Amino acid sequence: MGMGMNNPLPLKSLNHISLVCRSVEKSLDFYQYVLGFFPICRPGSFDGAWLFRYGIGIHLLQSEDPESMPKINEINPKDNHISFQCESMAMVEKKLKGGEEGAVDGDSFY
């Protein structure tokens, strides 16, 4: 490429990540009501939703062929993923496993 580590691009921060979803509606519920992201304005040229919080933009894009997407039943740390830092892992695990009011249904992970 011609640019070595001595002259990296002057990037400031990560602007957003885009995630292709089997169901934007279900994914939007998860990112809003479980993770606390809120919708922001976006162009309407394709199905999807844009979210923002914690200085992070997430663009949810509706798959054109949801049935062809691989079904993911467990997290593979060697596969593509995003990770959030939290204040209390025990509280997060409790909420995700259903041990607290407002617990997340296991079908909510996409």
Side-chain angles (χ1 to χ4, degrees), residues 4-7 10 12 14 23 29-30 34 41 50 54 57 59 62 65 76 80 84 88 94 101:
M5 291 303 294
N6 296 333
N7 190 18
K12 292 182 179 183
L14 176 68
S23 168
D29 282 349
F30 176 78
V34 176
C41 293
W50 286 8
Y54 315 109
H59 294 183
Q62 179 62 50
D65 186 7
N76 177 354
N80 295 326
F84 298 97
S88 170
K94 184 175 180 181
E101 185 176 335

Side-chain angles (χ1 to χ4, degrees), residues 18-25 27 42 46-49 59-70:
S18 291
L19 302 170
V20 177
C21 306
R22 181 175 282 110
S23 168
V24 165
E25 186 176 305
S27 296
R42 67 182 245 346
F46 52 86
D47 289 339
H59 294 183
L60 303 176
L61 311 173
Q62 179 62 50
S63 171
E64 293 180 5
D65 186 7
E67 295 307 313
S68 71
M69 292 183 68

Side-chain angles (χ1 to χ4, degrees), residues 17 19 31 35 58 80-84:
I17 61 166
L19 302 170
Y31 281 93
L35 299 181
I58 295 180
N80 295 326
H81 66 280
I82 59 174
S83 175
F84 298 97

Side-chain angles (χ1 to χ4, degrees), residues 30 34 72-73 95-98 103-110:
F30 176 78
V34 176
I72 300 171
N73 296 319
K95 183 166 185 165
L96 292 176
K97 290 180 180 179
V104 179
D105 181 351
D107 290 337
S108 296
F109 300 103
Y110 307 101

